[in-house]
Amino acid sequence: MQTHTVTRARAPYTQRRGQERRRLLINAVADLLRDREIDEISLDDVARRAGIPLTSTYHFYGDLHALLAALAVRYGEEFARLLQRPLPAAK
């Protein structure tokens, strides 16, 4: 007997909401890092700063290290974009 797994595509609204929540969480941890040391920040602090339930935060990032890695990726992407710009002429 064959069994079939049915996978449903996520609704565009759900995907957008998830992307927005991830963005808010990354922004929140970046903001907190301006004011505190890493060891003074918890995932609960980040969730509160972002205005997102802690359970949702764990859905997107299993722990603070995963969220910090996402922030590092964002900074790396921004830096790569900067490197693609022409350098100003030296004076």
Side-chain angles (χ1 to χ4, degrees):
M1 175 189 289
Q2 278 189 321
T3 58
H4 297 282
T5 303
V6 177
T7 56
R8 294 185 334 186
R10 291 182 183 254
Y13 169 76
T14 303
Q15 290 176 345
R16 282 192 306 275
R17 185 178 65 187
Q19 290 169 350
E20 177 64 11
R21 285 184 169 186
R22 283 188 288 277
R23 187 187 65 76
L24 289 170
L25 289 164
I26 292 170
N27 289 347
V29 78
D31 289 344
L32 288 168
L33 283 169
R34 288 184 191 100
D35 302 329
R36 303 182 196 173
E37 298 294 321
I38 280 181
D39 61 348
E40 298 172 336
I41 299 170
S42 70
L43 207 54
D44 187 51
D45 296 330
V46 177
R48 270 189 265 118
R49 174 70 64 101
I52 294 174
L54 185 59
T55 53
S56 295
T57 302
Y58 277 109
H59 171 75
F60 296 115
Y61 301 103
D63 58 24
L64 184 60
H65 292 123
L67 180 53
L68 291 169
L71 177 62
V73 167
R74 177 196 279 178
Y75 285 153
E77 290 169 349
E78 289 175 9
F79 186 67
R81 279 192 295 277
L82 286 173
L83 291 176
Q84 292 175 357
R85 294 183 185 169
L87 293 174
K91 292 184 181 183

